[in-house]
Amino acid sequence: MAQIPNLDNAPLNLKSIREQSQRDLVNILKNIRGKKCLVIDPKLSGSLSLIVPTSTLKEYGIELRLLSAEPVQTDCAKVVYFVGPQFISMRFISSHVHDDASKGLQREYFLYFVPRRSVACEKILEEEKVHNLMTIGEYPLYMVPLDEDVLSFELDLAPKEWQVDGDASSLWHIAKAIHKLEFTFGLIPNVRAKGKASVRVAEILNRMQTEEPVSLSDMNIPEINTLVLIDREVDMVTPMCSQLTYEGLVDEFLRINNGSVELDASIMGAQQQDGKKMKVPLNSSDKLFKEIRDLNFEVVVQVLRQKATSMKQDYTEVTTMRHINLAQHLSTFTSKPSFLGQLDMEHTIIEAQSYDIPNDISYVFSGYAPLSIRLVQNAIRSGCMGNQSSTPCDRNKHGGFSSSPSFDMSQGLSSSIDKVGDGRRSLVLVVFVGGVTFAEISALRFLSAQEGMAYDVIVGTTKIISGNSLAETFSENLG
């Protein structure tokens, strides 16, 4: 099964976004004629693999390397760097150029910033006296479709940059990504923001519309009816709780990276494994995974048990066996007294109650309903996101915002959000500034599927997170 998700059933044409990113990347590489070595920032490699498969790159005669402090080992005369705007990357690249010069190697160097050029980074290249030896450009990859209803802005450090360092560049990036969506799918008429960072994103988005307006005359009815922006800071409890959906548990214990999880081949039933690792894709292209990903793990075990019984001697059900093996491996973690004790402690702290055959979003944590999703639910139903630090922004016909802290939020969205003019379900883009867990995404899917909820949801996020990964963001030693 392909690692890149099939986006044919997405409520929004996310395939067009991915295809445009593919064209942009391929055009860059085509314009650099001859054999070349592509050196990729390790933090970008997963994102790029969801845009263009490695096999496609190799068809263009491209050698692939990951950026590190070590010199690039290649016979290619052209070296192409794709990096994020990080100072450490500039130091690595500069050392590569100096190393080549010391060995008498003559090469052409191409540097593409993702998603945009950085003056501060280029200043380092000037200080290192390598700037004039490079052809510099940018690859405008502002978002990556992770699945049919999930877009990632791939901003790992956004919470720390904004909350600790006071760096708002990630907020500009989020606004730019949303504005790019508007150029494709129309100006989003309703915007709701909860939290300081989200309000800032809304303000930047407004300024972008003023400076580079989406022409309303060129568009029919906007495909996205409402944008809901919510800060992770508004609800820091939810990511610290143990996720109990299938996909959430896989991420908690095994870490899902860019839509796949890496495991020992022996866990997946492979023969003659010898400690080999294998990547298991986890996206909606896998029909069984799509069926069970959002279910509470206890239910998943029952479903897989039924699947195993019905399989009998049919060895063609490879996908089913994959998830049976994966679920059995997860059970070794979830059955440990330490994990069960942790759950008891979490439930005591948040005073949750046990759940029955789920009829509320609380099933994703076996009793605790995520505050973040309650806020989104309230915003969609009534236009209200609580009574503190919440800014409603209704864009007028000129594309601006009319926004005021004293805005009467009881006016709400209920009348406008149910259906668009041609009878289709309305589409809500929910953007988490600072990250979202798989369990929260499951809860949003659950809400959208309920009777009477006449809207589809697409989730945008700076990054998929868990409690551990969020904590690591603030504790990571970047020096």
PDB file of all heavy atoms in Angstrom, residues 427-447:
ATOM      1  N   LEU A 427     -18.463  23.392   4.962  1.00  0.00           N
ATOM      2  CA  LEU A 427     -17.136  22.907   5.329  1.00  0.00           C
ATOM      3  C   LEU A 427     -16.513  23.854   6.345  1.00  0.00           C
ATOM      4  O   LEU A 427     -16.474  25.069   6.135  1.00  0.00           O
ATOM      5  CB  LEU A 427     -16.256  22.809   4.084  1.00  0.00           C
ATOM      6  CG  LEU A 427     -14.864  22.208   4.269  1.00  0.00           C
ATOM      7  CD1 LEU A 427     -14.947  20.788   4.812  1.00  0.00           C
ATOM      8  CD2 LEU A 427     -14.100  22.224   2.950  1.00  0.00           C
ATOM      9  N   VAL A 428     -16.032  23.285   7.444  1.00  0.00           N
ATOM     10  CA  VAL A 428     -15.388  24.055   8.508  1.00  0.00           C
ATOM     11  C   VAL A 428     -13.921  23.662   8.569  1.00  0.00           C
ATOM     12  O   VAL A 428     -13.587  22.470   8.635  1.00  0.00           O
ATOM     13  CB  VAL A 428     -16.055  23.788   9.873  1.00  0.00           C
ATOM     14  CG1 VAL A 428     -15.352  24.579  10.971  1.00  0.00           C
ATOM     15  CG2 VAL A 428     -17.528  24.147   9.827  1.00  0.00           C
ATOM     16  N   LEU A 429     -13.047  24.647   8.514  1.00  0.00           N
ATOM     17  CA  LEU A 429     -11.613  24.424   8.684  1.00  0.00           C
ATOM     18  C   LEU A 429     -11.260  24.778  10.126  1.00  0.00           C
ATOM     19  O   LEU A 429     -11.400  25.925  10.541  1.00  0.00           O
ATOM     20  CB  LEU A 429     -10.817  25.292   7.709  1.00  0.00           C
ATOM     21  CG  LEU A 429      -9.282  25.305   7.877  1.00  0.00           C
ATOM     22  CD1 LEU A 429      -8.702  23.904   7.681  1.00  0.00           C
ATOM     23  CD2 LEU A 429      -8.635  26.289   6.908  1.00  0.00           C
ATOM     24  N   VAL A 430     -10.839  23.788  10.898  1.00  0.00           N
ATOM     25  CA  VAL A 430     -10.462  23.992  12.297  1.00  0.00           C
ATOM     26  C   VAL A 430      -8.945  23.942  12.390  1.00  0.00           C
ATOM     27  O   VAL A 430      -8.332  22.911  12.107  1.00  0.00           O
ATOM     28  CB  VAL A 430     -11.078  22.919  13.216  1.00  0.00           C
ATOM     29  CG1 VAL A 430     -10.676  23.171  14.674  1.00  0.00           C
ATOM     30  CG2 VAL A 430     -12.598  22.904  13.082  1.00  0.00           C
ATOM     31  N   VAL A 431      -8.333  25.061  12.758  1.00  0.00           N
ATOM     32  CA  VAL A 431      -6.876  25.164  12.803  1.00  0.00           C
ATOM     33  C   VAL A 431      -6.406  25.245  14.256  1.00  0.00           C
ATOM     34  O   VAL A 431      -6.833  26.118  15.016  1.00  0.00           O
ATOM     35  CB  VAL A 431      -6.384  26.400  12.027  1.00  0.00           C
ATOM     36  CG1 VAL A 431      -4.884  26.617  12.243  1.00  0.00           C
ATOM     37  CG2 VAL A 431      -6.681  26.238  10.532  1.00  0.00           C
ATOM     38  N   PHE A 432      -5.541  24.319  14.624  1.00  0.00           N
ATOM     39  CA  PHE A 432      -4.949  24.289  15.965  1.00  0.00           C
ATOM     40  C   PHE A 432      -3.570  24.933  15.910  1.00  0.00           C
ATOM     41  O   PHE A 432      -2.662  24.413  15.261  1.00  0.00           O
ATOM     42  CB  PHE A 432      -4.841  22.853  16.472  1.00  0.00           C
ATOM     43  CG  PHE A 432      -6.165  22.218  16.798  1.00  0.00           C
ATOM     44  CD1 PHE A 432      -6.937  21.661  15.792  1.00  0.00           C
ATOM     45  CD2 PHE A 432      -6.631  22.191  18.100  1.00  0.00           C
ATOM     46  CE1 PHE A 432      -8.160  21.070  16.077  1.00  0.00           C
ATOM     47  CE2 PHE A 432      -7.862  21.599  18.398  1.00  0.00           C
ATOM     48  CZ  PHE A 432      -8.629  21.049  17.394  1.00  0.00           C
ATOM     49  N   VAL A 433      -3.436  26.056  16.592  1.00  0.00           N
ATOM     50  CA  VAL A 433      -2.167  26.780  16.631  1.00  0.00           C
ATOM     51  C   VAL A 433      -1.367  26.244  17.814  1.00  0.00           C
ATOM     52  O   VAL A 433      -1.632  26.586  18.961  1.00  0.00           O
ATOM     53  CB  VAL A 433      -2.397  28.296  16.776  1.00  0.00           C
ATOM     54  CG1 VAL A 433      -1.058  29.039  16.800  1.00  0.00           C
ATOM     55  CG2 VAL A 433      -3.283  28.820  15.651  1.00  0.00           C
ATOM     56  N   GLY A 434      -0.415  25.366  17.513  1.00  0.00           N
ATOM     57  CA  GLY A 434       0.368  24.751  18.580  1.00  0.00           C
ATOM     58  C   GLY A 434       0.232  23.246  18.634  1.00  0.00           C
ATOM     59  O   GLY A 434       0.842  22.596  19.473  1.00  0.00           O
ATOM     60  N   GLY A 435      -0.554  22.683  17.719  1.00  0.00           N
ATOM     61  CA  GLY A 435      -0.615  21.228  17.613  1.00  0.00           C
ATOM     62  C   GLY A 435      -1.931  20.624  18.050  1.00  0.00           C
ATOM     63  O   GLY A 435      -2.675  21.208  18.839  1.00  0.00           O
ATOM     64  N   VAL A 436      -2.220  19.430  17.515  1.00  0.00           N
ATOM     65  CA  VAL A 436      -3.448  18.709  17.847  1.00  0.00           C
ATOM     66  C   VAL A 436      -3.109  17.228  17.977  1.00  0.00           C
ATOM     67  O   VAL A 436      -2.187  16.725  17.319  1.00  0.00           O
ATOM     68  CB  VAL A 436      -4.530  18.920  16.756  1.00  0.00           C
ATOM     69  CG1 VAL A 436      -4.117  18.286  15.431  1.00  0.00           C
ATOM     70  CG2 VAL A 436      -5.884  18.376  17.198  1.00  0.00           C
ATOM     71  N   THR A 437      -3.836  16.533  18.857  1.00  0.00           N
ATOM     72  CA  THR A 437      -3.624  15.093  19.024  1.00  0.00           C
ATOM     73  C   THR A 437      -4.527  14.320  18.071  1.00  0.00           C
ATOM     74  O   THR A 437      -5.551  14.831  17.603  1.00  0.00           O
ATOM     75  CB  THR A 437      -3.937  14.657  20.460  1.00  0.00           C
ATOM     76  OG1 THR A 437      -5.339  14.883  20.725  1.00  0.00           O
ATOM     77  CG2 THR A 437      -3.106  15.422  21.475  1.00  0.00           C
ATOM     78  N   PHE A 438      -4.169  13.064  17.817  1.00  0.00           N
ATOM     79  CA  PHE A 438      -5.017  12.212  16.992  1.00  0.00           C
ATOM     80  C   PHE A 438      -6.386  12.011  17.645  1.00  0.00           C
ATOM     81  O   PHE A 438      -7.400  11.900  16.947  1.00  0.00           O
ATOM     82  CB  PHE A 438      -4.351  10.855  16.754  1.00  0.00           C
ATOM     83  CG  PHE A 438      -3.282  10.878  15.703  1.00  0.00           C
ATOM     84  CD1 PHE A 438      -1.953  10.656  16.037  1.00  0.00           C
ATOM     85  CD2 PHE A 438      -3.594  11.134  14.375  1.00  0.00           C
ATOM     86  CE1 PHE A 438      -0.960  10.672  15.055  1.00  0.00           C
ATOM     87  CE2 PHE A 438      -2.620  11.158  13.396  1.00  0.00           C
ATOM     88  CZ  PHE A 438      -1.293  10.925  13.742  1.00  0.00           C
ATOM     89  N   ALA A 439      -6.420  11.959  18.974  1.00  0.00           N
ATOM     90  CA  ALA A 439      -7.696  11.761  19.665  1.00  0.00           C
ATOM     91  C   ALA A 439      -8.634  12.937  19.436  1.00  0.00           C
ATOM     92  O   ALA A 439      -9.851  12.762  19.281  1.00  0.00           O
ATOM     93  CB  ALA A 439      -7.470  11.550  21.168  1.00  0.00           C
ATOM     94  N   GLU A 440      -8.093  14.154  19.410  1.00  0.00           N
ATOM     95  CA  GLU A 440      -8.926  15.329  19.144  1.00  0.00           C
ATOM     96  C   GLU A 440      -9.465  15.296  17.711  1.00  0.00           C
ATOM     97  O   GLU A 440     -10.616  15.675  17.464  1.00  0.00           O
ATOM     98  CB  GLU A 440      -8.125  16.611  19.392  1.00  0.00           C
ATOM     99  CG  GLU A 440      -7.859  16.879  20.866  1.00  0.00           C
ATOM    100  CD  GLU A 440      -6.864  17.990  21.096  1.00  0.00           C
ATOM    101  OE1 GLU A 440      -5.702  17.851  20.636  1.00  0.00           O
ATOM    102  OE2 GLU A 440      -7.234  19.001  21.733  1.00  0.00           O
ATOM    103  N   ILE A 441      -8.619  14.860  16.774  1.00  0.00           N
ATOM    104  CA  ILE A 441      -9.083  14.726  15.386  1.00  0.00           C
ATOM    105  C   ILE A 441     -10.206  13.699  15.320  1.00  0.00           C
ATOM    106  O   ILE A 441     -11.221  13.915  14.645  1.00  0.00           O
ATOM    107  CB  ILE A 441      -7.921  14.318  14.468  1.00  0.00           C
ATOM    108  CG1 ILE A 441      -6.866  15.440  14.407  1.00  0.00           C
ATOM    109  CG2 ILE A 441      -8.423  14.004  13.062  1.00  0.00           C
ATOM    110  CD1 ILE A 441      -5.608  15.064  13.647  1.00  0.00           C
ATOM    111  N   SER A 442     -10.058  12.596  16.051  1.00  0.00           N
ATOM    112  CA  SER A 442     -11.111  11.576  16.089  1.00  0.00           C
ATOM    113  C   SER A 442     -12.411  12.157  16.634  1.00  0.00           C
ATOM    114  O   SER A 442     -13.502  11.861  16.129  1.00  0.00           O
ATOM    115  CB  SER A 442     -10.672  10.391  16.961  1.00  0.00           C
ATOM    116  OG  SER A 442      -9.598   9.689  16.372  1.00  0.00           O
ATOM    117  N   ALA A 443     -12.298  12.991  17.669  1.00  0.00           N
ATOM    118  CA  ALA A 443     -13.489  13.603  18.257  1.00  0.00           C
ATOM    119  C   ALA A 443     -14.190  14.521  17.267  1.00  0.00           C
ATOM    120  O   ALA A 443     -15.425  14.559  17.192  1.00  0.00           O
ATOM    121  CB  ALA A 443     -13.115  14.374  19.528  1.00  0.00           C
ATOM    122  N   LEU A 444     -13.418  15.255  16.463  1.00  0.00           N
ATOM    123  CA  LEU A 444     -14.009  16.133  15.448  1.00  0.00           C
ATOM    124  C   LEU A 444     -14.694  15.318  14.349  1.00  0.00           C
ATOM    125  O   LEU A 444     -15.764  15.690  13.870  1.00  0.00           O
ATOM    126  CB  LEU A 444     -12.933  17.039  14.840  1.00  0.00           C
ATOM    127  CG  LEU A 444     -12.492  18.222  15.713  1.00  0.00           C
ATOM    128  CD1 LEU A 444     -11.308  18.937  15.078  1.00  0.00           C
ATOM    129  CD2 LEU A 444     -13.645  19.197  15.933  1.00  0.00           C
ATOM    130  N   ARG A 445     -14.078  14.208  13.974  1.00  0.00           N
ATOM    131  CA  ARG A 445     -14.718  13.330  12.981  1.00  0.00           C
ATOM    132  C   ARG A 445     -16.027  12.778  13.535  1.00  0.00           C
ATOM    133  O   ARG A 445     -17.027  12.661  12.813  1.00  0.00           O
ATOM    134  CB  ARG A 445     -13.776  12.174  12.622  1.00  0.00           C
ATOM    135  CG  ARG A 445     -12.578  12.582  11.784  1.00  0.00           C
ATOM    136  CD  ARG A 445     -11.685  11.388  11.499  1.00  0.00           C
ATOM    137  NE  ARG A 445     -10.508  11.764  10.719  1.00  0.00           N
ATOM    138  CZ  ARG A 445      -9.283  11.318  10.950  1.00  0.00           C
ATOM    139  NH1 ARG A 445      -9.072  10.446  11.927  1.00  0.00           N
ATOM    140  NH2 ARG A 445      -8.274  11.704  10.198  1.00  0.00           N
ATOM    141  N   PHE A 446     -16.023  12.430  14.808  1.00  0.00           N
ATOM    142  CA  PHE A 446     -17.231  11.920  15.458  1.00  0.00           C
ATOM    143  C   PHE A 446     -18.340  12.971  15.422  1.00  0.00           C
ATOM    144  O   PHE A 446     -19.489  12.679  15.088  1.00  0.00           O
ATOM    145  CB  PHE A 446     -16.905  11.531  16.905  1.00  0.00           C
ATOM    146  CG  PHE A 446     -18.092  11.091  17.713  1.00  0.00           C
ATOM    147  CD1 PHE A 446     -18.550   9.787  17.660  1.00  0.00           C
ATOM    148  CD2 PHE A 446     -18.776  11.998  18.528  1.00  0.00           C
ATOM    149  CE1 PHE A 446     -19.651   9.379  18.402  1.00  0.00           C
ATOM    150  CE2 PHE A 446     -19.865  11.606  19.273  1.00  0.00           C
ATOM    151  CZ  PHE A 446     -20.312  10.288  19.207  1.00  0.00           C
ATOM    152  N   LEU A 447     -17.983  14.206  15.756  1.00  0.00           N
ATOM    153  CA  LEU A 447     -18.976  15.297  15.741  1.00  0.00           C
ATOM    154  C   LEU A 447     -19.561  15.472  14.352  1.00  0.00           C
ATOM    155  O   LEU A 447     -20.778  15.605  14.175  1.00  0.00           O
ATOM    156  CB  LEU A 447     -18.325  16.609  16.175  1.00  0.00           C
ATOM    157  CG  LEU A 447     -18.104  16.843  17.665  1.00  0.00           C
ATOM    158  CD1 LEU A 447     -17.481  18.214  17.876  1.00  0.00           C
ATOM    159  CD2 LEU A 447     -19.412  16.731  18.436  1.00  0.00           C
TER     160      LEU A 447
END
